[in-house]
Amino acid sequence: MSDFMDWLYDHYIMPQINANMEREHDISMESVISALDPGYKEELDRLLKYTSVKAFLLGMRTGEGFAKER
């Protein structure tokens, strides 16, 4: 990934994910994460980063989530 995407993930995407997890899925995700070995936690972090950035870029390409201009 580019440096910009790394920065964007750390400063925008991940805080949004954390805010949503705290509101909706904190119990189930926390139990899954706490049950993982440290190596698997690292793999989960990388997987989350990869899929989040790809989903963000897909949303940018398709315009999903943008208000329609009138």
Side-chain angles (χ1 to χ4, degrees):
M1 267 184 261
S2 70
D3 290 338
F4 174 72
M5 292 311 297
D6 287 335
W7 180 88
L8 186 67
Y9 177 78
D10 292 335
H11 293 92
Y12 177 73
I13 298 172
M14 193 59 196
Q16 292 294 319
I17 291 171
N18 286 338
N20 286 332
M21 273 199 227
E22 288 174 7
R23 280 192 311 232
E24 300 171 11
H25 308 292
D26 58 336
I27 296 171
S28 61
M29 280 303 290
E30 195 60 40
S31 63
V32 169
I33 292 170
S34 65
L36 292 175
D37 291 332
Y40 289 125
K41 286 180 186 178
E42 195 174 298
E43 287 293 317
L44 178 64
D45 289 341
R46 279 188 271 180
L47 178 65
L48 182 61
K49 183 175 186 174
Y50 177 80
T51 55
S52 299
V53 167
K54 293 297 181 181
F56 178 83
L57 291 174
L58 178 63
M60 292 294 292
R61 287 185 191 111
T62 61
E64 189 66 31
F66 292 118
K68 303 281 185 202
E69 290 187 35
R70 295 179 189 236

